Every structure is written in structure tokens, then in C-alpha cells.
Amino acid sequence: MDIGVIGVGRIGAFHAATLADLPSVDRVVIADIDAERTATLAAERGYEEASSVDDLLGKVGAVVIASSTDTHAQFIHASVDAGLTTFCEKPISLDLESTRGVVEHVRRSGATLQMGFQRRFDPGFRAASELVLSGGLGNLYLVRMAGHDPAPPHESYIPQSGGIFRDFSVHDFDALRFVTGREVEEVYADGSVIGFPVFASYDDVDTAVATVRLRGGALGVLSVNRHDPRGYDIRMELIGSEDAIAVGWDERMPLRSVEPGMPPPPAEAWANFQQRFEPAYRAELSAFLEVAAGRRKNPCTPEDALEALRVAVACDLSRAEHRPVRLEEVS
């Protein structure tokens, strides 16, 4: 199968390399707003360079969209209109209106759009989901999540990121829905600028928390920040009536115990999301190829992306107004 990749910055180049190594991919065609970057990558890796997005859409059987967030919706519309099975990195858009517009377009067209929430393909998150949904955890009481970046993004990224909840925590919100099989009913969120004053210039924060109430009464707690001196820390803990489990607790977890007799912290903790989730990204794109070939049902729909965004928007509203927000308020 010939696959097109729109946008070959950090994550797009990563996806293109992953696709090129998959046996069912015959050719990778790339396009990017930066013509020099496109030409350089094509020459280095042997990809075919498209002169434009329209040119790319006419050459391939399926499309991966990894361009800047503000272009996702327009490229999804174009790819769907071209009749192509499409994969898009999160989010569809940073606002609910345009996100709903894409969801409706995809639904009306009968096209397939798989969203890029790679944690659904991580072995730990999948094992947790299977345990919860099989009843092995018993009655779910509590979910604790941590999402900590090793370093804040460049200032140029902050104003177009959508803020900490829509940019970063939306992955946690999708993972929460995926693992528990439950919808969020209410959130309460807060945040602070503690270590990096630049975030205040854009009404954003570098450190945040959110509590969530899930359908059925279980509660969730999320901590999120832009700077963890020990590395990239993504964890989920679930406590139920029959078991208590953790995702992300491994030999590279960037956390140091101060209890006597405990082993030292890892010499090489997780440095970034590409390193931590490399197998999940590969599994995600392998699944997409199966979807494009008609051999697998879509594992992450645009409706899933919409629901995760709704939780993030509710957290933004809660932080702004210092009050609990029910999800029905952002329906």
C-alpha cells in the first residue's frame, strides 16, 4: 500500500520512518509546508516528495496527517473528500465547533478516520483495560494519573497549543475513557505558573491538577506539569474492590524512592514520548494499515477524540471559573 504523510516535523518524520519499516507499505509519499525540509527528508530516507497536499492525495491509498494542529481539520476534510482512509494525530481541532464539523463530515461520508491516541496500543494500558472490563478489578474505586513532561515546549509552541489540558492531558482523558470504559460526568481543575513565567503570558499554566467523577461514581485524580527533572513520566493507577494495579511502573520510571533499602533510580529514565511509546506508535500505525485494508474495525474514532476534547474544555472552564463543571455544560 502507498501511504501519504502530511507534515514531516518531529512526529510526522517519526511516523514516516515507522511506516517505511512496515512490510505492508510499498511507498511513503510526503508533503510539508517547508519545502526544504520535505526535500531533505525525501533524499535522506528515499521517500517520494509530493509537490502539494493535493498532489499527495492523488498518489496514495491512505493518509497520515501529522501537520500543525491548526491544519488538521482542513486536511481531514480534503482527505475524506478524496475517499481516503485517514489517520490524524490528536487533536482534530482545539475547539468543539470545528471538531464537531469534522465528526459530522466523516459520519456523513462513510469514510474512516482513525485518531492518534497511541496509549490505546501500549501493552500496559491495554492490560489495564482488559482487567477492568473483564471484572478482574472488581468495583472500580479510584484512578490516579500522572502526566509529566521532562521540559517545557519552546515559547513559539505555547500560544497555538491550546493550553495544558487540551495539548497534553487530552491523552490522559482518552486513556481514562479507554481503560475504564466509562464517561466523565464532572471535573474540577486548577493550575499554577510556578517555574516558567512565560506560560502566564498566554493564560496557560505549567502545573495543573484535575479531579474527575466517572459515570458510576468512581473518582479520578490527574497531576500534570511541564517540567519533571527526572524525565518523561506517564502513569495510571487503578484501585478496585478486588485488585490494585499500576501502568507505567517499570525499570525506567522517572521517580526516586527515599525509603531505606530501595534500589537506586534508573540510570536511564524515559526521556520523551517517542522513546516511551515507540512500540505503541508502531502498533497504532500497523492497526491503521489493517483498517485501511478493510481487515480491522477502527480502534479510535473521531467521536473518541471529541469526547476527550470535551473533558479538556471542561477542565479549562473549571480552572477559569474556579468551580466544578459538568460535562453536559460543554455539550
Side-chain angles (χ1 to χ4, degrees):
M1 184 181 296
D2 296 334
I3 306 295
V5 179
I6 301 174
V8 287
R10 180 174 60 169
I11 190 63
F14 185 77
H15 284 333
T18 300
L19 287 163
D21 288 339
L22 295 176
S24 58
V25 174
D26 298 314
R27 182 177 60 150
V28 174
V29 182
I30 63 173
D32 191 281
I33 192 172
D34 187 331
E36 182 178 351
R37 178 165 60 191
T38 310
T40 299
L41 188 63
E44 289 177 351
R45 296 300 304 263
Y47 307 144
E48 181 174 331
E49 181 183 355
S51 60
S52 66
V53 169
D54 287 341
D55 179 40
L56 179 147
L57 294 177
K59 292 181 173 181
V60 299
V63 172
V64 170
I65 298 171
S67 52
S68 60
T69 295
D70 60 346
T71 64
H72 286 183
Q74 72 182 78
F75 290 148
I76 292 170
H77 286 304
S79 182
V80 167
D81 286 342
L84 298 173
T85 301
T86 306
F87 174 98
C88 185
E89 270 300 326
K90 67 84 187 169
I92 291 174
S93 174
L94 292 173
D95 69 272
L96 290 170
E97 182 179 2
S98 59
T99 298
R100 287 195 190 96
V102 168
V103 171
E104 287 302 317
H105 184 193
V106 172
R107 184 180 295 149
R108 289 193 308 270
S109 70
T112 298
L113 171 63
Q114 179 181 328
M115 293 305 301
F117 285 105
Q118 83 282 356
R119 295 185 200 179
R120 290 174 175 243
F121 299 87
D122 175 78
F125 282 99
R126 293 190 69 84
S129 174
E130 291 166 5
L131 186 62
V132 172
L133 300 183
S134 71
L137 205 66
N139 290 328
L140 181 62
Y141 296 146
L142 186 66
V143 183
R144 287 197 294 254
M145 298 172 287
H148 305 161
D149 255 343
H154 188 275
E155 181 177 356
S156 62
Y157 179 78
I158 299 172
Q160 51 93 25
S161 71
I164 198 167
F165 291 120
R166 301 187 202 201
D167 174 44
F168 191 4
S169 302
V170 72
H171 277 292
D172 298 286
F173 301 142
D174 180 72
L176 179 65
R177 295 181 65 248
F178 170 70
V179 170
T180 67
R182 304 185 189 191
E183 299 296 343
V184 174
E185 291 187 334
E186 185 177 78
V187 305
Y188 181 79
D190 204 354
S192 293
V193 176
I194 298 174
F196 302 91
V198 64
F199 284 95
S201 302
Y202 303 98
D203 192 29
D204 198 1
V205 295
D206 58 30
T207 305
V209 294
T211 61
V212 302
R213 177 178 292 274
L214 295 169
R215 187 172 298 164
L219 300 175
V221 181
L222 167 68
S223 64
V224 53
N225 74 352
R226 292 295 196 180
H227 177 225
D228 187 323
R230 290 201 164 271
Y232 181 68
D233 191 5
I234 300 295
R235 281 176 287 124
M236 177 183 283
E237 301 167 10
L238 300 102
I239 297 91
S241 61
E242 300 296 328
D243 204 353
I245 62 173
V247 178
W249 193 324
D250 59 21
E251 71 280 358
R252 298 182 69 176
M253 180 176 68
L255 196 64
R256 182 173 70 90
S257 174
V258 295
E259 294 291 340
M262 292 298 291
E268 186 181 1
W270 296 113
N272 51 49
F273 66 88
Q274 301 102 313
Q275 191 183 78
R276 166 68 175 85
F277 288 112
E278 181 177 2
Y281 279 118
R282 185 178 181 87
E284 177 183 58
L285 290 176
S286 294
F288 173 63
L289 296 178
E290 291 290 302
V291 171
R295 294 191 292 266
R296 178 171 179 169
K297 184 179 178 180
N298 187 357
C300 190
T301 68
E303 288 82 3
D304 289 319
L306 175 60
E307 290 306 311
L309 178 62
R310 288 182 64 222
V311 180
V313 170
C315 285
D316 283 337
L317 182 60
S318 177
R319 181 176 77 85
E321 299 185 358
H322 299 286
R323 66 175 179 88
V325 173
R326 293 190 61 79
L327 263 290
E328 61 198 33
E329 294 184 51
V330 291
S331 62

mmCIF file of all heavy atoms in Angstrom, residues 38-68:
data_model
loop_
_atom_site.group_PDB
_atom_site.id
_atom_site.type_symbol
_atom_site.label_atom_id
_atom_site.label_comp_id
_atom_site.label_asym_id
_atom_site.label_seq_id
_atom_site.Cartn_x
_atom_site.Cartn_y
_atom_site.Cartn_z
ATOM 1 N N THR A 38 11.022 18.944 3.419
ATOM 2 C CA THR A 38 10.487 17.827 2.662
ATOM 3 C C THR A 38 11.537 17.223 1.744
ATOM 4 O O THR A 38 11.716 16.003 1.702
ATOM 5 C CB THR A 38 9.270 18.282 1.821
ATOM 6 O OG1 THR A 38 8.357 19.002 2.640
ATOM 7 C CG2 THR A 38 8.558 17.092 1.208
ATOM 8 N N ALA A 39 12.227 18.076 1.009
ATOM 9 C CA ALA A 39 13.232 17.604 0.058
ATOM 10 C C ALA A 39 14.374 16.891 0.775
ATOM 11 O O ALA A 39 14.852 15.842 0.311
ATOM 12 C CB ALA A 39 13.768 18.779 -0.757
ATOM 13 N N THR A 40 14.807 17.447 1.882
ATOM 14 C CA THR A 40 15.922 16.850 2.635
ATOM 15 C C THR A 40 15.548 15.477 3.159
ATOM 16 O O THR A 40 16.308 14.504 3.013
ATOM 17 C CB THR A 40 16.326 17.764 3.799
ATOM 18 O OG1 THR A 40 16.749 19.028 3.294
ATOM 19 C CG2 THR A 40 17.460 17.142 4.608
ATOM 20 N N LEU A 41 14.369 15.372 3.754
ATOM 21 C CA LEU A 41 13.935 14.086 4.315
ATOM 22 C C LEU A 41 13.716 13.054 3.212
ATOM 23 O O LEU A 41 14.075 11.882 3.357
ATOM 24 C CB LEU A 41 12.658 14.275 5.139
ATOM 25 C CG LEU A 41 12.188 13.056 5.938
ATOM 26 C CD1 LEU A 41 13.228 12.671 6.985
ATOM 27 C CD2 LEU A 41 10.851 13.353 6.618
ATOM 28 N N ALA A 42 13.123 13.489 2.112
ATOM 29 C CA ALA A 42 12.901 12.572 0.995
ATOM 30 C C ALA A 42 14.221 12.020 0.472
ATOM 31 O O ALA A 42 14.334 10.820 0.180
ATOM 32 C CB ALA A 42 12.138 13.287 -0.119
ATOM 33 N N ALA A 43 15.215 12.883 0.362
ATOM 34 C CA ALA A 43 16.517 12.448 -0.138
ATOM 35 C C ALA A 43 17.214 11.518 0.850
ATOM 36 O O ALA A 43 17.839 10.519 0.452
ATOM 37 C CB ALA A 43 17.396 13.667 -0.416
ATOM 38 N N GLU A 44 17.102 11.826 2.128
ATOM 39 C CA GLU A 44 17.779 11.021 3.147
ATOM 40 C C GLU A 44 17.169 9.636 3.294
ATOM 41 O O GLU A 44 17.877 8.651 3.499
ATOM 42 C CB GLU A 44 17.733 11.739 4.498
ATOM 43 C CG GLU A 44 18.617 12.968 4.585
ATOM 44 C CD GLU A 44 18.462 13.680 5.921
ATOM 45 O OE1 GLU A 44 17.548 13.305 6.694
ATOM 46 O OE2 GLU A 44 19.252 14.599 6.185
ATOM 47 N N ARG A 45 15.831 9.551 3.216
ATOM 48 C CA ARG A 45 15.155 8.300 3.540
ATOM 49 C C ARG A 45 14.562 7.572 2.336
ATOM 50 O O ARG A 45 14.030 6.475 2.467
ATOM 51 C CB ARG A 45 14.036 8.563 4.563
ATOM 52 C CG ARG A 45 14.503 9.074 5.920
ATOM 53 C CD ARG A 45 15.454 8.074 6.583
ATOM 54 N NE ARG A 45 14.849 6.765 6.710
ATOM 55 C CZ ARG A 45 14.249 6.311 7.820
ATOM 56 N NH1 ARG A 45 14.202 7.076 8.888
ATOM 57 N NH2 ARG A 45 13.717 5.111 7.855
ATOM 58 N N GLY A 46 14.629 8.169 1.166
ATOM 59 C CA GLY A 46 14.102 7.506 -0.018
ATOM 60 C C GLY A 46 12.597 7.622 -0.170
ATOM 61 O O GLY A 46 11.987 6.844 -0.923
ATOM 62 N N TYR A 47 11.980 8.585 0.495
ATOM 63 C CA TYR A 47 10.551 8.808 0.326
ATOM 64 C C TYR A 47 10.307 9.556 -0.991
ATOM 65 O O TYR A 47 11.192 10.232 -1.511
ATOM 66 C CB TYR A 47 9.980 9.649 1.472
ATOM 67 C CG TYR A 47 10.274 9.143 2.862
ATOM 68 C CD1 TYR A 47 10.511 10.039 3.899
ATOM 69 C CD2 TYR A 47 10.318 7.779 3.154
ATOM 70 C CE1 TYR A 47 10.778 9.603 5.187
ATOM 71 C CE2 TYR A 47 10.584 7.330 4.441
ATOM 72 C CZ TYR A 47 10.827 8.253 5.450
ATOM 73 O OH TYR A 47 11.090 7.814 6.722
ATOM 74 N N GLU A 48 9.077 9.471 -1.471
ATOM 75 C CA GLU A 48 8.699 10.280 -2.632
ATOM 76 C C GLU A 48 8.177 11.622 -2.150
ATOM 77 O O GLU A 48 7.381 11.689 -1.218
ATOM 78 C CB GLU A 48 7.633 9.570 -3.469
ATOM 79 C CG GLU A 48 7.231 10.376 -4.694
ATOM 80 C CD GLU A 48 6.294 9.623 -5.609
ATOM 81 O OE1 GLU A 48 6.351 8.388 -5.646
ATOM 82 O OE2 GLU A 48 5.481 10.286 -6.296
ATOM 83 N N GLU A 49 8.607 12.672 -2.780
ATOM 84 C CA GLU A 49 8.208 14.028 -2.403
ATOM 85 C C GLU A 49 7.022 14.481 -3.263
ATOM 86 O O GLU A 49 7.101 14.451 -4.488
ATOM 87 C CB GLU A 49 9.382 14.978 -2.579
ATOM 88 C CG GLU A 49 9.096 16.404 -2.201
ATOM 89 C CD GLU A 49 10.279 17.312 -2.476
ATOM 90 O OE1 GLU A 49 11.348 16.797 -2.883
ATOM 91 O OE2 GLU A 49 10.127 18.532 -2.303
ATOM 92 N N ALA A 50 5.932 14.879 -2.621
ATOM 93 C CA ALA A 50 4.785 15.440 -3.330
ATOM 94 C C ALA A 50 4.929 16.955 -3.397
ATOM 95 O O ALA A 50 5.453 17.580 -2.478
ATOM 96 C CB ALA A 50 3.486 15.066 -2.631
ATOM 97 N N SER A 51 4.448 17.541 -4.478
ATOM 98 C CA SER A 51 4.578 18.985 -4.648
ATOM 99 C C SER A 51 3.581 19.765 -3.806
ATOM 100 O O SER A 51 3.769 20.956 -3.547
ATOM 101 C CB SER A 51 4.404 19.351 -6.124
ATOM 102 O OG SER A 51 3.110 18.949 -6.587
ATOM 103 N N SER A 52 2.507 19.111 -3.381
ATOM 104 C CA SER A 52 1.475 19.751 -2.586
ATOM 105 C C SER A 52 0.635 18.666 -1.919
ATOM 106 O O SER A 52 0.756 17.478 -2.248
ATOM 107 C CB SER A 52 0.569 20.631 -3.449
ATOM 108 O OG SER A 52 -0.162 19.824 -4.361
ATOM 109 N N VAL A 53 -0.251 19.081 -1.030
ATOM 110 C CA VAL A 53 -1.150 18.125 -0.398
ATOM 111 C C VAL A 53 -2.077 17.510 -1.443
ATOM 112 O O VAL A 53 -2.326 16.295 -1.444
ATOM 113 C CB VAL A 53 -1.952 18.795 0.734
ATOM 114 C CG1 VAL A 53 -3.092 17.880 1.210
ATOM 115 C CG2 VAL A 53 -1.035 19.139 1.897
ATOM 116 N N ASP A 54 -2.594 18.327 -2.359
ATOM 117 C CA ASP A 54 -3.466 17.798 -3.408
ATOM 118 C C ASP A 54 -2.737 16.767 -4.260
ATOM 119 O O ASP A 54 -3.312 15.734 -4.650
ATOM 120 C CB ASP A 54 -3.982 18.932 -4.292
ATOM 121 C CG ASP A 54 -5.039 19.786 -3.600
ATOM 122 O OD1 ASP A 54 -5.622 19.293 -2.603
ATOM 123 O OD2 ASP A 54 -5.272 20.924 -4.043
ATOM 124 N N ASP A 55 -1.479 17.050 -4.572
ATOM 125 C CA ASP A 55 -0.670 16.107 -5.334
ATOM 126 C C ASP A 55 -0.523 14.797 -4.566
ATOM 127 O O ASP A 55 -0.674 13.707 -5.126
ATOM 128 C CB ASP A 55 0.699 16.727 -5.611
ATOM 129 C CG ASP A 55 1.625 15.801 -6.385
ATOM 130 O OD1 ASP A 55 1.153 15.125 -7.312
ATOM 131 O OD2 ASP A 55 2.826 15.757 -6.044
ATOM 132 N N LEU A 56 -0.253 14.892 -3.276
ATOM 133 C CA LEU A 56 -0.106 13.702 -2.439
ATOM 134 C C LEU A 56 -1.389 12.875 -2.411
ATOM 135 O O LEU A 56 -1.357 11.641 -2.535
ATOM 136 C CB LEU A 56 0.311 14.114 -1.025
ATOM 137 C CG LEU A 56 0.484 13.003 0.012
ATOM 138 C CD1 LEU A 56 1.597 13.356 0.992
ATOM 139 C CD2 LEU A 56 -0.805 12.749 0.812
ATOM 140 N N LEU A 57 -2.532 13.545 -2.262
ATOM 141 C CA LEU A 57 -3.807 12.834 -2.139
ATOM 142 C C LEU A 57 -4.127 12.020 -3.389
ATOM 143 O O LEU A 57 -4.849 11.014 -3.314
ATOM 144 C CB LEU A 57 -4.939 13.822 -1.858
ATOM 145 C CG LEU A 57 -4.882 14.550 -0.512
ATOM 146 C CD1 LEU A 57 -6.019 15.556 -0.395
ATOM 147 C CD2 LEU A 57 -4.912 13.577 0.653
ATOM 148 N N GLY A 58 -3.596 12.426 -4.518
ATOM 149 C CA GLY A 58 -3.844 11.700 -5.742
ATOM 150 C C GLY A 58 -2.909 10.536 -5.984
ATOM 151 O O GLY A 58 -3.080 9.786 -6.954
ATOM 152 N N LYS A 59 -1.934 10.351 -5.087
ATOM 153 C CA LYS A 59 -0.908 9.333 -5.314
ATOM 154 C C LYS A 59 -0.975 8.149 -4.362
ATOM 155 O O LYS A 59 -0.232 7.181 -4.542
ATOM 156 C CB LYS A 59 0.488 9.964 -5.197
ATOM 157 C CG LYS A 59 0.839 10.950 -6.285
ATOM 158 C CD LYS A 59 2.238 11.499 -6.087
ATOM 159 C CE LYS A 59 2.664 12.369 -7.275
ATOM 160 N NZ LYS A 59 4.040 12.892 -7.093
ATOM 161 N N VAL A 60 -1.802 8.228 -3.323
ATOM 162 C CA VAL A 60 -1.715 7.242 -2.244
ATOM 163 C C VAL A 60 -3.060 6.566 -1.987
ATOM 164 O O VAL A 60 -4.104 7.024 -2.446
ATOM 165 C CB VAL A 60 -1.206 7.905 -0.941
ATOM 166 C CG1 VAL A 60 0.190 8.483 -1.153
ATOM 167 C CG2 VAL A 60 -2.163 8.998 -0.460
ATOM 168 N N GLY A 61 -2.992 5.486 -1.204
ATOM 169 C CA GLY A 61 -4.203 4.761 -0.850
ATOM 170 C C GLY A 61 -4.716 5.074 0.527
ATOM 171 O O GLY A 61 -5.848 4.729 0.877
ATOM 172 N N ALA A 62 -3.906 5.724 1.360
ATOM 173 C CA ALA A 62 -4.301 6.126 2.710
ATOM 174 C C ALA A 62 -3.383 7.249 3.156
ATOM 175 O O ALA A 62 -2.278 7.423 2.619
ATOM 176 C CB ALA A 62 -4.225 4.948 3.681
ATOM 177 N N VAL A 63 -3.838 8.021 4.149
ATOM 178 C CA VAL A 63 -3.132 9.242 4.534
ATOM 179 C C VAL A 63 -2.927 9.303 6.046
ATOM 180 O O VAL A 63 -3.838 8.988 6.822
ATOM 181 C CB VAL A 63 -3.921 10.495 4.083
ATOM 182 C CG1 VAL A 63 -3.291 11.766 4.640
ATOM 183 C CG2 VAL A 63 -3.976 10.563 2.569
ATOM 184 N N VAL A 64 -1.730 9.743 6.443
ATOM 185 C CA VAL A 64 -1.423 10.050 7.841
ATOM 186 C C VAL A 64 -1.208 11.549 7.940
ATOM 187 O O VAL A 64 -0.349 12.104 7.238
ATOM 188 C CB VAL A 64 -0.166 9.295 8.315
ATOM 189 C CG1 VAL A 64 0.298 9.809 9.677
ATOM 190 C CG2 VAL A 64 -0.438 7.794 8.376
ATOM 191 N N ILE A 65 -1.985 12.206 8.797
ATOM 192 C CA ILE A 65 -1.882 13.658 8.982
ATOM 193 C C ILE A 65 -1.131 13.936 10.273
ATOM 194 O O ILE A 65 -1.572 13.562 11.365
ATOM 195 C CB ILE A 65 -3.273 14.307 9.013
ATOM 196 C CG1 ILE A 65 -3.993 14.081 7.683
ATOM 197 C CG2 ILE A 65 -3.167 15.810 9.317
ATOM 198 C CD1 ILE A 65 -5.453 14.495 7.691
ATOM 199 N N ALA A 66 0.018 14.596 10.149
ATOM 200 C CA ALA A 66 0.844 14.930 11.314
ATOM 201 C C ALA A 66 1.349 16.365 11.215
ATOM 202 O O ALA A 66 2.425 16.696 11.703
ATOM 203 C CB ALA A 66 2.020 13.957 11.410
ATOM 204 N N SER A 67 0.568 17.194 10.582
ATOM 205 C CA SER A 67 0.905 18.606 10.396
ATOM 206 C C SER A 67 0.573 19.387 11.665
ATOM 207 O O SER A 67 0.137 18.822 12.664
ATOM 208 C CB SER A 67 0.129 19.158 9.200
ATOM 209 O OG SER A 67 -1.260 18.872 9.339
ATOM 210 N N SER A 68 0.728 20.698 11.621
ATOM 211 C CA SER A 68 0.418 21.517 12.792
ATOM 212 C C SER A 68 -1.072 21.430 13.116
ATOM 213 O O SER A 68 -1.911 21.217 12.231
ATOM 214 C CB SER A 68 0.814 22.972 12.536
ATOM 215 O OG SER A 68 0.107 23.497 11.424
#
